[in-house]
Amino acid sequence: MDTPHAAAPLGLDEIATLDFRASAEAEQIGQQLKDALGFGAHYQAPRLAIARSLAVAAAPPAAPSDGRRAINGRTLFGPGADLAAWVSLLVEHAGRAPQDRQELQAWVRAHWARGMALLGPMLEEAGRDSTRFWRLIAEATLPHGPDSTAEQPAAPGGAAPPPGLIALRLGSVSQDAGSGEPIRWPLNAPGGAANAAFMGASGTGKTRTVTAILRELRAATPLPLLAFDFKGDLTDKDNALDRAFGATVLNPVEQPIPLDVLALADRSPTTLALAAQRLRDSLSTLKGAGFGANQKELLAEAAERALRQHQPCRLEDIREALVRLYAERGRKEDGAVATLRDLTRLRLFAPEHAPAEFFARSWIIRLPAHLPDLVKVSVVTLITDALDRYANSLPDAPTDAAGNRALRYAVLIDEAHRILGERLPGLSGLLRVSRSKGGVVFLSSQSPDDFSGEDDEFLDQMGLVLAFRCNAEPGAARRILGPRCDLAALARGEAWLKIGGEATRRLRAW
Ligand SMILES: Nc1ncnc2c1ncn2[C@@H]1O[C@H](COP(=O)(O)OP(=O)(O)OP(=O)(O)O)[C@@H](O)[C@H]1O
Ligand SMILES: [Mg+2]
């Protein structure tokens, strides 16, 4: 028997006659799409927008209903089975049925507005050319690698049970070079950090060693990997990280990285201000010498405005906010604006996946040598910032009775010397939170000198330092490994090894 106040369930016949209205802004973009693409009817652009928004897993933000034109459900979604299919997609996206007609109208309006906000910039990018626009749409919705429900690990936010102690071999031999005693690294043991720095001259075996450790780690616990590949060798037959992790390989120039890279965990004034400051700090590291105090202040203010007004917020929105702010203050455009213009020349990110989804899957991001340094550094900076923000929003990683931590994600920056001099705030943040949040961060670089530009604290966050042969300044090597260690005298396959607070040992890795 029905309770007296229960509303009658919403039927398809009723939805067919309901009026749907967009926001004025969405309506305006819709008109531009209709003109540029030659749509004959008013429902085509809204359908495209709603479909585009439904492809983004996160819930869309609410949108106002200040548009002029109303479209009824039958026209907007089509008759019969078409209408039923659209309503099913909306319900599936929301995870439940709408409570009443107003809620359904609000959902449609929100998808409509978000979809238009995604399509509008694409139309501009395509120069309003329909062929180029359709190509961009097709690229933006290409599938990204294996289905996340199949072989992939549980979402890193989910509390996978701690896997017990994970003690990994360090290379194919992994023995004390003197005694022959086997050596293992207990990377999730209580107290230690699961971060590691690998060093050595070119060809000494850093990449082979670090990928072997990662493959063994993946076999021990199902965690996703985020790897930055500057040389293109992480996916070759010896390293094979793509196969081990079921990772999707991305080249951000050919295909934008499908991450809402500026997503925030919440929209409180503090979160917005902190995110804006972090973005200011990250962006001002990009041009080496950094920006002046005035530029930084303007950058932070523009970032905060853009983050408040746009969801998802894109780098282009920050660029536009900065241009407007300069105009408001009567300032001539300078290096700060130029940096953002350079950065947004390529569409590096497309806000398709929320961080929780993106970081639950494995990605290998190729940053080949011919890319401008600005692009390489900003891709690493913005993604590590996003992961740092996301990791901080998670509860601490669960531990087992012995205190061994569950691990949630692994990050590899091979050839980190290409970005280490930049003092990336997100990377330092990530190293710091690994211990509590169950992160694993591996950096490899040619020499201990590459780490000397970073704060001392940077190396203090390493649970393991492994140095193959190289001709480093003795100062930096000594600071890290102790006075005994001569890096130039190491044999092939040998490395100096320091695990946590233990004494430095000579390791035969391979
Ligand atoms: N575990 C191993 N087993 C066998 N050979 C190895 C091993 N590790 C390294 N090598 C040899 O060393 C070569 C270089 O290894 P790797 O690419 O890992 O070096 P790298 O230190 O990453 O060099 P670069 O700095 O140039 O990237 C390999 O091609 C291989 O010949
Ligand atoms: Mg290498």
Side-chain angles (χ1 to χ4, degrees):
M1 202 177 69
D2 280 347
T3 48
H5 297 295
L10 202 53
L12 286 175
D13 288 345
E14 187 183 350
I15 296 173
T17 58
L18 267 186
D19 271 349
F20 293 91
R21 200 180 286 275
S23 67
E25 198 179 342
E27 202 171 74
Q28 195 196 344
I29 301 172
Q31 187 60 46
Q32 291 164 4
L33 282 170
K34 183 169 180 282
D35 295 343
L37 305 177
F39 288 150
H42 280 291
Y43 61 77
Q44 285 161 303
R47 280 190 195 173
L48 190 60
I50 296 167
R52 183 65 193 86
S53 173
L54 284 167
V56 180
S65 59
D66 51 357
R68 281 177 306 139
R69 182 191 305 274
I71 306 186
N72 70 34
R74 184 176 290 109
T75 310
L76 180 57
F77 296 123
D82 281 356
L83 176 67
W86 280 100
V87 173
S88 307
L89 288 169
L90 287 157
V91 168
E92 184 189 34
H93 193 279
R96 61 178 176 83
Q99 282 166 1
D100 49 31
R101 50 165 73 184
Q102 284 81 8
E103 189 170 46
L104 180 69
Q105 285 165 322
W107 287 355
V108 170
R109 205 158 58 233
H111 281 295
W112 193 334
R114 175 168 68 180
M116 288 297 183
L118 289 167
L119 296 177
M122 281 176 140
L123 188 64
E124 294 311 316
E125 193 181 336
R128 306 215 168 196
D129 175 277
S130 67
T131 313
R132 285 173 58 196
F133 175 81
W134 289 118
R135 175 169 305 145
L136 285 175
I137 290 264
E139 283 167 6
T141 47
L142 280 178
H144 296 290
D147 184 88
S148 61
T149 53
E151 226 259 306
Q152 288 291 313
L165 180 68
I166 301 178
L168 300 175
R169 298 156 59 84
L170 301 170
S172 46
V173 178
S174 196
Q175 290 176 354
D176 186 298
S179 66
E181 182 202 342
I183 291 182
R184 298 285 180 273
W185 177 32
L187 91 163
N188 66 337
N195 302 323
F198 299 82
M199 304 161 200
S202 182
T204 48
K206 301 178 296 293
T207 302
R208 290 281 282 269
T209 305
V210 79
T211 58
I213 296 172
L214 280 168
R215 290 194 306 270
E216 199 175 314
L217 174 61
R218 179 65 177 83
T221 187
L223 83 178
L225 170 73
L226 170 68
F228 297 96
D229 190 359
F230 293 93
K231 281 182 73 178
D233 60 348
L234 297 184
T235 49
D236 69 17
K237 70 172 182 10
D238 294 314
N239 295 309
L241 286 184
D242 49 342
R243 266 164 289 154
F245 284 84
T248 304
V249 181
L250 289 178
N251 183 338
V253 174
E254 288 161 12
Q255 188 184 6
I257 298 164
L259 165 65
D260 182 1
V261 73
L262 300 176
L264 305 178
D266 64 77
R267 308 200 56 78
S268 70
T270 323
T271 304
L272 281 164
L274 285 176
Q277 283 165 25
R278 169 62 74 80
L279 201 61
R280 171 202 63 193
D281 293 343
S282 296
L283 293 175
S284 24
T285 60
L286 292 180
K287 278 273 155 132
F291 298 144
N294 274 334
Q295 286 173 312
K296 282 191 172 182
E297 190 226 308
L298 291 168
L299 200 53
E301 164 131 25
E304 198 173 331
R305 279 191 196 178
L307 286 167
R308 196 176 318 120
Q309 284 167 5
H310 298 271
Q311 206 183 352
C313 178
R314 300 158 317 132
L315 289 169
E316 289 83 350
D317 299 321
I318 293 177
R319 179 195 65 205
E320 289 313 303
L322 190 64
V323 168
R324 270 199 296 277
L325 192 58
Y326 269 66
E328 275 170 34
R329 302 267 171 103
R331 256 182 92 107
K332 261 185 65 185
E333 293 192 2
D334 58 17
V337 177
T339 301
L340 273 155
R341 286 201 199 283
D342 284 346
L343 198 54
T344 48
R345 241 177 268 288
L346 292 168
R347 207 159 66 97
L348 295 173
F349 294 95
E352 272 176 53
H353 295 299
E357 282 174 319
F358 183 85
F359 294 120
R361 296 166 66 167
S362 292
W363 306 93
I364 296 176
I365 298 174
R366 288 225 168 117
L367 298 166
H370 63 79
L371 283 185
D373 279 350
L374 176 70
V375 169
K376 285 189 276 210
V377 176
S378 20
V379 165
V380 180
T381 307
L382 292 166
I383 299 183
T384 48
D385 277 350
L387 179 55
D388 182 34
R389 259 198 308 275
Y390 171 63
N392 270 299
S393 75
L394 298 174
D396 282 358
T399 52
D400 64 14
N404 302 309
R405 272 188 311 285
L407 298 175
R408 285 191 171 117
Y409 56 83
V411 179
L412 167 62
I413 307 183
D414 194 25
E415 307 272 303
H417 50 276
R418 290 172 203 264
I419 52 124
L420 273 179
E422 310 287 345
R423 290 171 173 271
L424 305 181
L427 188 54
S428 318
L430 266 188
L431 289 169
R432 239 176 293 124
V433 299
S434 285
R435 208 184 299 259
S436 54
K437 306 297 183 184
V440 175
V441 182
F442 289 177
L443 306 176
S444 95
S445 190
Q446 298 207 329
S447 147
D449 300 341
D450 297 327
F451 293 89
S452 54
E454 301 291 337
D455 302 335
D456 278 359
E457 207 201 333
F458 201 85
L459 280 163
D460 292 344
Q461 303 295 345
M462 295 295 168
L464 175 135
V465 177
L466 197 158
F468 290 103
R469 184 185 48 74
C470 68
N471 296 313
E473 290 291 329
R478 242 184 238 136
R479 183 159 63 83
I480 298 165
L481 297 161
R484 253 174 1 104
C485 302
D486 182 356
L487 287 173
L490 285 166
R492 227 170 115 77
E494 279 185 6
W496 288 109
L497 168 69
K498 189 163 167 59
I499 297 182
E502 290 174 17
T504 303
R505 296 204 260 181
R506 202 152 49 86
L507 165 83
R508 167 152 297 284
W510 56 280

